[in-house]
Amino acid sequence: MDKTYQPQQIEASWYQTWEKNGYFRPSGRGEPYCIMIPPPNVTGSLHMGHGFQQSIMDAMTRYQRMLGKNTLWQVGTDHAGIATQMVVERQLHAQNLSKSDLGRDRFVDKVWKWKEHSGNTITRQMRRLGVSVDWDRERFTMDEGLSRAVAEVFIRLYEEGLIYRGKRLVNWDPKLHTAISDLEVINEEENGSFWYFRYPLVDGARTTDGKTYVVIATTRPETMLGDTALAVNPEDERYRSLIGKQVELPLCNRQIPIIADDYVAPEFGTGCVKITPAHDYNDYEIGTRHGLAMINILTDEAAINDDAPAAYQGMDRFEARKQIVSDMEAAGLLEKIEAHRLKVPRGDRSGEVIEPYLTNQWYVAIEELAKPAIAAVENGDIEFVPKNWENTYFSWMRDIQDWCISRQLWWGHRIPAWYDENGTIYVGHDADEVRQKNALPADLPLRQDPDVLDTWFSSALWTFSTLGWPDDTEELKTFHPTDVLVTGFDIIFFWVARMIMMTLKFTGQIPFRKVYITGLIRDSEGQKMSKSKGNILDPIDLIDGIDIDSLLAKQTDSMMQPQLAEKIDKATRKHFPEGIVAHGTDALRYTFYSLASTGRDINFDMGRIEGFRNFCNKIWNAARYVLMNTEDKGCSKPDSPEYYSQADRWIHSRFQTTLQAVHEGMASYRLDLVSQAIYEFFWNEYCDWYLELSKPVLWDEEASANQKNATRYMLLNILEQSLRLAHPFLPFITEEIWQKVAPLLGIKGESIMLQAYPDNDESVINPTVDAEIDWVKGVIEAVRNIRGEMNISPAKAVPVLLCKGDEQDQAFLSNNRQFLIKLAKLESIDWLDNPEQAPMSSTQLFNKMEVLVPMADLIDISAEKERLGKEIDKLQAEIKRLKGKIGNKKFADNAPAEVVDKEKAKLQNAENSLVQLQEQLEKIQQV
RNA sequence: AGGCGCGUAGCUCAGUUGGUUAGAGCGCUACCUUGACAUGGUAGAGGUCACCAGUUCGAAUCUGGUCGUGCCUACCA
């Protein structure tokens, strides 16, 4: 084995071996366990969020697989309608082409080609992470089987009246030319204006204060071209007399009525609102209530259309806005302009300002589907982890709006609906079926709906469509409902909620039992990672490393503004002055686990990943030590347990304690606790103490062959079990080492990933042995403390005396003499029966026992005084605190007896220690 | 406007039904190349647990409030 851990060398080949040998496939034996991967965008690339969630899913999957479950981790990708179509359109644009130049079929062809070309990027990157998904079952949301499921669901919902087509206001993206759902609209506060316009009253009407006009305030002046009324609150005295009167709509040569509606808030703006039913959701409601005309004034591009006054036709909406304000001003109808913060709706993909727009769209009537989905979480069939996300889920589900599922795109599942010349709708799998079902003549022209479905419509079916639904497959019977969904809170509404609704509706089952919601990975300063901020960390760069120049190039890649690029350049150089060194997959994964606490957001800190790379190195070198001492030496299971040292028994005990902690952590989805338990066990117990404790046995002339063999066996045995313990989290390094270690124990197996998880054996958990090794550690640490504080060279062997302890201390000494001598580097260690005879010494207490290092020529008296003084100060503070507490009558009366006793014992100990240290100090001062 | 989080060492974070001397990693200080490992070892320094009040014998932990901060949902033109 190499002297240092080189991840790139060991990670390269193992994945191929695992995949090639089909180890990821369900074993077909045992209780089923299934996780459905949230399908990433097929043309995307792996980001930190994927890395985080997939690492978690892989740990769960490998863990369950090793526990003997029949494990399926279903993999696949999503066609991501809008995102993918945009990418291909951009490519066309670069060649001065548009999608209409190609036509629908050729364009869709092109998208498929792009998918074939780039679709491997993310799956290749996933392999680098070590994910044990079943690639043989890889699915794509637009493959044949899933498309069939999509059509089937659409048709059944339509036939039940749960899908309908309707003309109403939708969120229209004028750049992408499609409707989008409410969830795809992001409302952010931006600086805008309030324009106050005068609308002249006609027929000589006057306001109560004698004006010949009313004033309205608007944030979108251009919409006035579609105004069909003004509205006031019926209780508003200022306007009551004007209700029913007409005003002249400026610039439009039309008259519109003043109506009364409770919706209008008298105190806001001027208390008089212009009503544009075709371009505002609230106005639409009012328009419907009052039977107002709905005048659409926009084109698909959000330019002014031909139904508006000629002067503005063809203008872009923002151009028209300027022109209208200017025209109103010229006409003396602009009263004032106020600065105003307002929420501007923008498309999450395009960033474009969204327009409410009157179109025909398809909707899912969602309320009926939502009811059982709410109940499933209420009654605990589905549980969110952490639980508080259930509130988020409920609050959205209990006020859910119908889901607009049609998109005016070309890339996606085409809506399975056909129209005849009269516009009658026929829904079915294909035109032939439609004709047959509806007894339509063969020559009746039918036209398929041009729209496609929202991407989330197909993802909503993911848990069952991937298993073969609508066929009643074995997989469906075996693996559905699935066990756990691991995902982010950002798609609870988009995906989780819709999956629950659709799955309940079509399978009668819940899709999954648990929803484990992870936090979001942010940069080290808590900023969301985004291209525009130039703070994206690529998991692959953390694995392989990247030099500073390449990193800078990546971060500023798509940066349009030079000054922004400069800023990013600076920030990147600050955080990564020398780029990023290679850390390996295992270290990255372990970092993710260590940060996976309670679903809160994660600020990714490079210090963490370095620490875990070092941990891997530690494992590597511990293994080297073990192999060096066991290879060619024989290490069979001892004939009798008596050959074990106390250290051997201790590490066995600690291992089982750790194993329990791991099981508990996995059961409660606390992978941070799991990773910590393994880390602490391996580094702080196995390496720091056990390996050191093995040396006196292995290298001691006096130890018998049987004892040496027993220790060699335990070294190997615990290492081998630890590798299995850690394998779900550190798949590569554990496999690499296990292949070398297992044969020495006579274990046969092709791969660690097919081995069983370590057996639970609580019988070896041994508090007595734990206490004894704690004693050994305590004495060694006492001596080391004296060495450190007294500046005694580590090379210098010192004599040590123990005194004032009890019989157990004496017994421990005689059991562990060779451990103490070796680990504390002692010249000698002896029990002093008569403390009076103690030579001048530096003293450290361990419980009631004194550990003495005789001063002779090697101790600096003033340093020792200082050291004792420090200890005494600490004890005095402690005693004061304890006395106060115990002296408090209320404490003695109210606290449970065991707590009081514990505090009393603490005080007793502290007081004893104080006396001993003070005696010691006096002794020294006499010199 | 409602809702949900968060505020613990210089930094990133644990702290499980209230009872520890409040912990880890990184960073920092000193010493050490000792036959697994300097991606290491040993010994240390470092915290008024945001603030205020309350409940309690006892609060980082429970309650109320204040401040700061992040997010989600719904929005009055």
Side-chain angles (χ1 to χ4, degrees):
Chain A
M1 283 174 82
D2 287 335
K3 191 173 167 185
T4 47
Y5 160 65
Q6 310 275 3
Q8 50 279 33
Q9 283 177 20
I10 62 174
E11 286 172 11
S13 63
W14 280 118
Y15 195 86
Q16 285 180 359
T17 306
W18 295 332
E19 186 178 352
K20 196 178 70 217
N21 291 333
Y23 296 161
F24 301 151
R25 288 198 284 259
S27 65
R29 294 181 305 274
E31 209 182 306
Y33 182 85
C34 182
I35 295 181
M36 294 287 168
I37 202 168
N41 180 345
V42 67
T43 60
S45 55
L46 198 76
H47 58 59
M48 291 294 276
H50 294 129
F52 181 42
Q53 290 173 357
Q54 292 180 13
S55 294
I56 289 170
M57 285 180 257
D58 194 46
M60 291 173 170
T61 302
R62 286 178 185 269
Y63 171 76
Q64 295 292 346
R65 188 183 287 122
M66 290 177 80
L67 287 175
K69 298 264 180 75
N70 181 23
T71 308
L72 170 63
W73 184 8
Q74 173 67 48
V75 71
T77 50
D78 190 280
H79 67 282
I82 294 180
T84 308
Q85 175 161 333
M86 273 176 75
V87 172
V88 177
E89 279 192 82
R90 211 175 298 138
Q91 289 171 351
L92 285 178
H93 192 72
Q95 305 166 44
N96 273 322
L97 288 171
S98 76
K99 68 179 196 296
S100 48
D101 292 336
L102 293 186
R104 183 165 189 147
D105 290 346
R106 281 176 61 206
F107 178 79
V108 169
D109 247 17
K110 208 153 178 85
V111 182
W112 274 107
K113 288 211 179 75
W114 167 245
K115 182 247 170 195
E116 299 308 330
H117 169 260
S118 72
N120 296 327
T121 305
I122 195 157
T123 50
R124 209 171 45 236
Q125 291 176 319
M126 285 165 66
R127 287 174 164 91
R128 292 298 314 279
L129 266 185
V131 296
S132 60
V133 296
D134 183 359
W135 292 108
D136 294 348
R137 297 189 49 81
E138 182 178 358
R139 304 306 298 267
F140 176 51
T141 46
M142 272 176 59
D143 68 24
E144 210 187 317
L146 269 60
S147 298
R148 188 165 65 109
V150 166
E152 187 69 25
V153 164
F154 185 97
I155 293 162
R156 289 197 201 172
L157 286 175
Y158 179 79
E159 284 169 355
E160 281 189 50
L162 292 174
I163 279 183
Y164 64 93
R165 187 169 156 83
K167 185 166 192 175
R168 56 170 79 173
L169 281 187
V170 290
N171 306 299
W172 183 262
D173 187 318
K175 187 173 172 191
L176 301 173
H177 293 186
T178 181
I180 55 178
S181 74
D182 297 344
L183 290 174
E184 290 159 277
V185 178
I186 297 170
N187 289 296
E188 278 199 3
E189 216 165 64
E190 294 180 17
N191 286 320
S193 300
F194 241 156
W195 284 272
Y196 287 80
F197 287 164
R198 293 173 181 169
Y199 281 19
L201 288 156
V202 299
D203 300 331
R206 299 274 174 123
T207 61
T208 47
D209 53 353
K211 301 227 170 64
T212 58
Y213 53 83
V214 289
V215 179
I216 56 91
T218 180
T219 56
R220 295 190 297 153
E222 69 280 8
T223 60
M224 72 174 285
L225 304 178
D227 285 358
T228 53
L230 296 188
V232 297
N233 191 291
E235 306 300 318
D236 192 334
E237 293 299 336
R238 295 173 297 175
Y239 297 112
R240 186 172 289 189
S241 66
L242 298 175
I243 296 169
K245 299 273 195 308
Q246 298 276 315
V247 295
E248 169 72 19
L249 182 61
L251 314 179
C252 296
N253 197 25
R254 282 195 279 127
Q255 291 190 0
I256 56 175
I258 297 175
I259 60 171
D261 197 288
D262 288 337
Y263 155 80
V264 181
E267 68 284 358
F268 192 83
T270 62
C272 180
V273 192
K274 65 191 265 314
I275 302 297
T276 322
H279 294 286
D280 181 280
Y281 288 101
N282 289 308
D283 294 4
Y284 181 85
E285 296 296 320
I286 292 176
T288 309
R289 274 203 289 279
H290 295 266
L292 299 175
M294 309 213 174
I295 306 177
N296 174 29
I297 58 152
L298 294 177
T299 66
D300 287 358
E301 287 83 23
I304 306 300
N305 72 11
D306 293 351
D307 292 332
Y312 306 102
Q313 288 174 13
M315 276 187 191
D316 173 75
R317 55 187 158 157
F318 297 118
E319 198 186 332
R321 175 180 296 181
K322 265 192 207 156
Q323 190 60 49
I324 285 166
V325 171
S326 140
D327 290 350
M328 288 295 280
E329 190 174 15
L333 297 174
L334 174 64
E335 179 140 320
K336 60 176 173 175
I337 305 175
E338 275 176 1
H340 182 65
R341 294 280 291 172
L342 77 161
K343 295 270 187 164
V344 178
R346 290 181 182 274
D348 63 351
R349 291 289 165 184
S350 67
E352 201 70 9
V353 176
I354 296 302
E355 292 289 341
Y357 193 48
L358 207 50
T359 53
N360 269 309
Q361 302 290 344
W362 291 91
Y363 294 88
V364 176
I366 208 82
E367 205 183 329
E368 197 175 310
L369 297 175
K371 281 179 192 155
I374 293 168
V377 176
E378 277 173 343
N379 67 24
D381 290 349
I382 299 173
E383 258 183 291
F384 282 68
V385 179
K387 194 120 184 133
N388 56 307
W389 289 110
E390 289 178 5
N391 295 327
T392 307
Y393 172 82
F394 288 138
S395 67
W396 189 69
M397 290 291 279
R398 284 171 183 154
D399 187 31
I400 195 167
Q401 306 294 311
D402 281 0
W403 175 16
C404 175
I405 50 171
S406 45
R407 297 288 180 275
Q408 287 66 53
L409 304 173
W410 286 352
W411 176 242
H413 299 99
R414 188 124 175 217
I415 289 176
W418 282 259
Y419 306 93
D420 63 19
E421 285 162 319
N422 301 322
T424 309
I425 301 171
Y426 306 99
V427 167
H429 284 95
D430 52 52
D432 289 344
E433 188 199 272
V434 160
R435 283 180 205 280
Q436 205 180 359
K437 253 190 350 199
N438 298 284
L440 302 176
D443 59 348
L444 181 79
L446 286 178
R447 183 175 53 83
Q448 187 175 4
D449 193 302
D451 292 353
V452 300
L453 288 165
D454 181 6
T455 299
W456 297 103
F457 191 89
S458 54
S459 345
L461 321 180
W462 188 245
T463 66
F464 56 99
S465 64
T466 50
L467 296 175
W469 188 91
D471 297 335
D472 189 20
T473 61
E474 273 310 308
E475 286 91 337
L476 210 48
K477 279 185 231 161
T478 306
F479 294 110
H480 206 276
T482 66
D483 289 85
V484 57
L485 180 77
V486 179
T487 192
F489 59 81
D490 49 335
I491 52 175
I492 289 178
F493 306 145
F494 276 113
W495 194 43
V496 180
R498 288 163 177 171
M499 272 174 114
I500 296 174
M501 291 189 279
M502 288 297 201
T503 311
L504 282 168
K505 173 75 183 169
F506 287 97
T507 68
Q509 293 181 336
I510 52 171
F512 28 69
R513 299 180 180 92
K514 304 268 184 199
V515 183
Y516 173 44
I517 299 290
T518 66
L520 213 66
I521 307 257
R522 300 167 174 281
D523 74 6
S524 61
E525 289 172 0
Q527 296 285 314
K528 204 166 166 172
M529 289 188 189
S530 78
K531 258 209 163 102
S532 59
K533 288 196 190 109
N535 62 348
I536 300 250
L537 271 183
D538 183 339
I540 302 298
D541 292 341
L542 292 170
I543 293 172
D544 292 336
I546 183 169
D547 62 79
I548 179 69
D549 291 329
S550 309
L551 181 62
L552 285 169
K554 260 175 110 164
Q555 299 289 40
T556 53
D557 186 20
S558 55
M559 226 37 65
M560 301 298 173
Q561 300 151 277
Q563 84 242 53
L564 211 60
E566 203 174 298
K567 208 172 133 195
I568 288 166
D569 194 281
K570 223 172 130 190
T572 305
R573 282 181 199 278
K574 184 184 153 209
H575 288 292
F576 309 97
E578 276 142 60
I580 299 172
V581 301
H583 293 93
T585 297
D586 286 329
L588 176 63
R589 289 175 54 133
Y590 219 76
T591 309
F592 286 141
Y593 303 130
S594 76
L595 294 170
S597 54
T598 42
R600 77 180 211 171
D601 286 358
I602 289 153
N603 299 347
F604 195 87
D605 177 37
M606 290 302 292
R608 286 292 191 108
I609 190 171
E610 276 167 38
F612 293 119
R613 193 261 325 255
N614 297 351
F615 179 49
C616 291
N617 187 57
K618 195 75 180 172
I619 296 172
W620 185 259
N621 277 291
R624 283 180 66 223
Y625 168 83
V626 173
L627 290 171
M628 238 173 245
N629 283 286
T630 52
E631 270 171 325
D632 310 321
K633 290 204 177 65
C635 29
S636 52
K637 186 166 186 181
D639 302 329
S640 158
E642 70 180 280
Y643 297 126
Y644 286 126
S645 74
Q646 288 299 71
D648 296 334
R649 295 187 184 99
W650 171 74
I651 199 63
H652 204 183
S653 166
R654 299 305 307 157
F655 177 83
Q656 279 295 328
T657 305
T658 306
L659 177 61
Q660 289 193 345
V662 169
H663 285 313
E664 280 165 27
M666 291 304 285
S668 55
Y669 299 92
R670 287 299 304 271
L671 301 213
D672 57 326
L673 300 181
V674 170
S675 70
Q676 199 185 354
I678 294 174
Y679 182 97
E680 284 176 356
F681 167 76
F682 200 82
W683 198 315
N684 302 337
E685 296 188 315
Y686 188 75
C687 290
D688 286 352
W689 287 103
Y690 183 61
L691 292 195
E692 296 306 321
L693 290 167
S694 74
K695 290 174 184 175
V697 178
L698 297 182
W699 300 346
D700 184 354
E701 296 295 319
E702 288 168 33
S704 71
N706 276 329
Q707 287 171 325
K708 289 183 182 188
N709 174 69
T711 291
R712 281 198 298 268
Y713 175 77
M714 192 58 80
L715 269 175
L716 265 181
N717 173 41
I718 298 297
L719 174 62
E720 192 273 339
Q721 291 201 70
S722 300
L723 292 170
R724 283 188 278 135
L725 182 75
H727 178 260
F729 316 98
L730 300 168
F732 292 103
I733 190 175
T734 51
E735 177 77 292
E736 177 75 15
I737 298 173
W738 187 83
Q739 294 288 338
K740 297 186 168 73
V741 168
L744 298 180
L745 288 163
I747 297 170
K748 293 194 177 63
E750 293 166 37
S751 165
I752 189 173
M753 65 169 285
L754 302 179
Q755 294 293 304
Y757 213 58
D759 286 330
N760 297 314
D761 182 3
E762 287 177 42
S763 71
V764 304
I765 293 178
N766 187 334
T768 313
V769 166
D770 291 352
E772 183 163 344
I773 297 298
D774 281 346
W775 182 92
V776 171
K777 287 160 70 173
V779 172
I780 291 167
E781 279 165 351
V783 176
R784 285 175 178 170
N785 175 270
I786 290 172
R787 273 184 189 281
E789 303 261 320
M790 294 294 103
N791 283 319
I792 299 170
S793 159
K796 168 95 185 162
V798 295
V800 164
L801 297 170
L802 302 180
C803 67
K804 293 192 179 168
D806 56 22
E807 284 162 18
Q808 193 181 49
D809 291 322
Q810 295 192 42
F812 283 170
L813 169 62
S814 66
N815 285 350
N816 298 289
R817 183 177 294 274
Q818 77 281 23
F819 289 146
L820 300 173
I821 286 174
K822 175 78 184 165
L823 270 65
K825 183 123 179 135
L826 304 182
E827 177 189 291
S828 61
I829 181 162
D830 296 295
W831 191 266
L832 189 63
D833 287 322
N834 184 357
E836 301 300 317
Q837 294 172 349
M840 193 60 53
S841 301
S842 188
T843 310
Q844 181 83 20
L845 297 176
F846 182 73
N847 295 332
K848 285 178 187 161
M849 184 175 73
E850 288 183 7
V851 178
L852 306 178
V853 177
M855 303 180 88
D857 52 334
L858 44 84
I859 285 174
D860 174 348
I861 289 182
S862 65
E864 176 65 1
K865 279 185 197 163
E866 195 183 321
R867 199 182 67 84
L868 287 174
K870 223 161 76 180
E871 291 294 315
I872 287 169
D873 286 349
K874 249 193 231 170
L875 278 172
Q876 281 172 334
E878 171 76 357
I879 286 165
K880 192 175 163 198
R881 192 182 63 83
L882 287 167
K883 273 188 171 162
K885 194 168 186 178
I886 292 164
N888 184 342
K889 193 168 179 308
K890 286 178 180 170
F891 173 72
D893 291 349
N894 293 308
E898 53 185 64
V899 173
V900 176
D901 289 346
K902 212 169 122 189
E903 296 298 307
K904 281 184 178 163
K906 272 196 235 166
L907 179 61
Q908 183 74 48
N909 281 336
E911 282 176 332
N912 286 342
S913 299
L914 182 64
V915 169
Q916 280 174 289
L917 290 181
Q918 277 168 337
E919 279 173 10
Q920 201 59 35
L921 187 60
E922 276 166 34
K923 230 175 183 177
I924 288 176
Q925 272 160 345
Q926 288 162 11
V927 176

